[in-house]
């Protein structure tokens, strides 16, 4: 053992001595190292290439799928973040526009801040719903359900009551499938109807702008031939958005304009056709018969068309919108409702009233004058904005 220890000490002394003083030995050592590298280069290359192949195979086999999944997860999370931001922005805007509705309800009902749930709170809630244009019949149905839940001790606090009101209102708003998910026809023809002054022409302009932003090719039919300003307004929208437009001279046959619009859409391979119609009183039978003629004219050129009939309603008309919906639906089988002018002057509860009275989806709501203010209707966002 002592001999072995002395031998190691000698090696150490020689190493440090050579490192400090003997450059020739260092050069010779480098030469030896180079020779050993050369002699073993073939073996080393074979081992290295083999190891690299094994490493690559390992990466491909073990990590490729997780990497793809991670990338997909990242993309999905990024899309979800964008969607959440968009919803937050829409909710903020909607809440701002429904301020008057909440204020109207708050004048009749201030029970959310109370700790005690009593008969006075229930009665004031009923009055506030009616005042907000939810409708008497719908309100009574909601109150019967809430009263029953209070009796069964399912609702014991005002917080419970608020949650139940939100739930009751949501149950009366059917889940809305956006119109874009139903574009199975080419072209997809949408006939837009409604009484005078509800905003049909402006709605068509905003819809065409949104569809074109989605990459759709849009053509507009100016079938409101009795109002020159309507045709001019549509021409401005078409120029602004890049949509095509079909128009005839003033006082031309509206059905003929609609027919020619569909024919042009087929020849130009358009994706969407939006047909404007003259405002008409829903109580005038001759005017309602005229709009049926427009529908028949469209069907002559393209069977099964129009594929959608949108009824535009002015939210400020309140319960009168119910009678309009009923008569237009009987005449034309309405497939979607666009509720305009929910911009601070209307009572938002009319949305609940219409949805609970008819099995017709509410497609869009207008909460301002800008193009983006025509929003796809989101029941959950709307109810929360109305109550909260």
């Amino acid at each position: 053992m002592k001999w072995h220890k002395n031998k190691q000490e000698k090696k150490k002394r020689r190493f440090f001595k050579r490192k400090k003083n003997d450059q020739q030995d260092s050069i010779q050592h480098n030469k030896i190292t180079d020779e050993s590298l050369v002699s073993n280069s073939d073996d080393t290359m074979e081992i290295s290439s083999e190891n690299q192949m094994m490493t690559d195979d390992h990466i491909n086999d073990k990590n490729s799928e997780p990497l793809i999944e991670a990338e997909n997860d990242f993309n999905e999370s990024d899309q979800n973040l964008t969607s959440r931001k968009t919803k937050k922005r829409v909710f903020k805007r909607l809440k701002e526009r429904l301020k008057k509705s909440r204020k109207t309800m708050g004048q009749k009902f201030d029970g959310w801040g109370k700790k005690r749930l009593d008969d006075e709170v229930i009665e004031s809630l009923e009055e506030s719903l009616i005042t907000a244009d939810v409708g008497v019949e719908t309100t009574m149905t909601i109150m019967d359900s809430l009263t029953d839940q209070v009796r069964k001790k399912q609702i014991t606090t005002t917080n419970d009551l608020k949650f139940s009101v939100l739930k009751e209102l949501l149950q009366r708003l059917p889940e809305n499938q956006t119109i874009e998910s139903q574009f199975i026809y080419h072209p997809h023809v949408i006939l837009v109807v409604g009484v005078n002054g509800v905003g049909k022409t402006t709605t068509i302009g905003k819809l065409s702008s949104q569809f074109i932003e989605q990459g759709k090719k849009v053509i507009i039919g100016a079938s409101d031939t009795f109002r020159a300003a309507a045709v001019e307004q549509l021409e401005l929208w078409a120029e602004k958005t890049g949509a095509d437009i079909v128009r005839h001279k003033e006082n031309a046959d509206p059905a003929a304009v609609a027919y020619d619009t569909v024919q042009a859409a087929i020849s130009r391979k358009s994706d969407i056709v939006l047909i404007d119609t003259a405002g008409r009183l829903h109580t005038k039978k001759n005017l309602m018969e005229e709009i049926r003629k427009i529908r028949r004219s469209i069907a002559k050129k393209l069977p099964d068309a129009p594929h959608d009939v949108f009824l535009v309603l002015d939210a400020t008309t309140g319960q009168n919108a119910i009678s309009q919906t009923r008569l237009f639906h009987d005449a034309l089988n309405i497939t979607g409702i666009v509720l305009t002018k929910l911009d601070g002057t209307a009572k938002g509860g009319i949305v609940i009233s219409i949805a609970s009275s008819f099995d017709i989806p509410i497609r869009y709501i207008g909460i301002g004058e800008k193009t983006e203010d025509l929003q796809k209707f989101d029941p959950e966002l709307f109810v929360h904005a109305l109550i909260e």
Side-chain angles (χ1 to χ4, degrees):
M1 291 294 292
K2 185 175 181 181
W3 172 84
H4 183 70
K5 185 176 180 181
N6 290 335
K7 188 176 181 181
Q8 285 182 337
E9 288 178 353
K10 286 180 181 179
K11 282 184 178 180
K12 284 182 181 180
R13 285 197 296 271
R14 283 200 304 269
F15 172 76
F16 287 111
K17 186 176 180 181
R18 182 170 66 246
K19 187 174 181 182
K20 291 178 181 178
N21 303 320
D22 196 352
Q23 294 180 354
Q24 290 181 354
D25 287 346
S26 178
I27 293 169
Q28 186 177 1
H29 172 75
N30 289 338
K31 286 182 179 180
I32 293 170
T33 305
D34 291 341
E35 289 176 0
S36 64
L37 285 171
V38 170
S39 63
N40 295 324
S41 62
D42 293 340
D43 294 337
T44 304
M45 287 175 65
E46 288 179 5
I47 294 171
S48 298
S49 60
E50 185 178 351
N51 286 339
Q52 182 64 37
M53 289 175 64
M54 290 177 66
T55 304
D56 290 343
D57 291 342
H58 178 73
I59 291 173
N60 291 333
D61 292 343
K62 300 293 183 182
N63 295 335
S64 59
E65 291 182 6
L67 283 173
I68 293 170
E69 289 176 3
E71 185 178 355
N72 290 338
D73 290 342
F74 176 78
N75 291 334
E76 287 177 8
S77 63
D78 192 42
Q79 290 173 359
N80 290 336
L81 180 62
T82 304
S83 178
R84 285 197 300 271
K85 286 182 177 178
T86 303
K87 273 199 169 188
K88 188 177 180 180
R89 186 173 64 252
V90 170
F91 178 72
K92 184 178 179 181
R93 182 82 167 150
L94 190 58
K95 191 175 179 181
E96 179 185 314
R97 292 302 186 178
L98 293 176
K99 185 177 180 179
K100 184 177 180 180
S101 295
R102 287 196 309 277
K103 186 177 179 182
T104 302
M105 292 180 72
Q107 288 172 350
K108 301 293 181 181
F109 179 73
D110 58 353
W112 300 141
K114 294 183 178 180
K115 294 183 178 179
R116 184 182 175 188
L117 184 63
D118 52 24
D119 293 339
E120 184 181 346
V121 170
I122 299 296
E123 288 175 6
S124 63
L125 174 61
E126 180 180 338
E127 189 176 355
S128 70
L129 290 174
I130 294 173
T131 307
D133 261 342
V134 173
V136 176
E137 186 177 344
T138 305
T139 298
M140 296 307 295
T141 306
I142 291 173
M143 294 311 301
D144 287 344
S145 175
L146 293 175
T147 304
D148 186 56
Q149 292 177 59
V150 171
R151 183 177 55 81
K152 293 178 179 178
K153 303 295 183 182
Q154 294 173 349
I155 298 175
T156 57
T157 66
T158 53
N159 281 335
D160 293 341
L161 180 64
K162 187 175 185 178
F163 176 79
S164 296
V165 170
L166 288 170
K167 185 177 178 181
E168 290 288 337
L169 294 178
L170 272 173
Q171 285 177 350
R172 284 155 180 80
L173 290 172
E175 290 185 12
N176 190 21
Q177 291 184 344
T178 58
I179 185 66
E180 291 85 341
S181 65
Q182 300 175 1
F183 285 155
I184 59 175
Y185 300 98
H186 294 280
H188 188 99
V189 182
I190 303 172
L191 181 65
V192 182
V193 300
V195 302
N196 292 306
V198 294
K200 294 187 304 299
T201 305
T202 302
T203 297
I204 287 174
K206 291 178 179 180
L207 284 174
S208 67
S209 178
Q210 292 183 12
F211 290 150
I212 287 172
E213 285 181 1
Q214 296 166 16
K216 306 291 184 184
K217 187 176 181 181
V218 178
I219 188 167
I220 301 171
S223 286
D224 185 357
T225 57
F226 298 110
R227 189 168 68 93
V231 178
E232 293 173 1
Q233 193 176 357
L234 281 178
E235 285 183 324
L236 288 173
W237 274 108
E239 184 180 349
K240 180 181 177 181
T241 61
D244 292 334
I245 187 169
V246 174
R247 58 162 296 178
H248 286 190
K249 62 182 181 179
E250 192 175 344
N251 293 325
D253 182 7
V257 178
Y259 182 90
D260 289 348
T261 303
V262 175
Q263 187 175 38
I266 295 170
S267 62
R268 299 176 196 179
K269 297 182 179 179
S270 299
D271 297 306
I272 301 169
V273 182
L274 293 166
I275 298 178
D276 191 16
T277 60
R280 61 202 66 241
L281 292 173
H282 52 291
T283 54
K284 299 293 183 180
K285 289 185 178 181
N286 59 325
L287 293 177
M288 295 302 289
E289 181 55 39
E290 186 179 84
I291 206 167
R292 290 191 188 97
K293 180 184 175 184
I294 294 174
R295 179 170 188 147
R296 290 194 299 270
S297 179
I298 293 170
K300 284 180 183 178
K301 187 61 187 176
L302 191 65
D304 298 326
H307 308 108
D308 275 297
V309 181
F310 281 3
L311 173 63
V312 182
L313 297 172
D314 182 344
T316 61
T317 59
Q319 291 299 305
N320 190 38
I322 301 295
S323 59
Q324 291 178 28
T325 304
R326 182 174 291 108
L327 291 171
F328 272 103
H329 190 44
D330 290 342
L332 298 167
N333 190 23
I334 302 299
T335 62
I337 289 173
V338 180
L339 202 62
T340 62
K341 304 182 184 180
L342 272 169
D343 55 357
T345 58
K347 300 172 183 177
I350 188 61
V351 176
I352 312 294
S353 184
I354 292 170
S356 60
S357 301
F358 305 95
D359 188 21
I360 305 172
I362 297 172
R363 302 292 190 186
Y364 296 90
I365 54 174
I367 59 172
E369 296 180 358
K370 297 179 181 179
T371 301
E372 59 269 22
D373 287 334
L374 183 68
Q375 297 180 354
K376 297 171 187 175
F377 181 65
D378 186 320
E380 188 172 352
L381 287 184
F382 181 84
V383 168
H384 281 275
L386 181 65
I387 296 298
E388 295 186 357

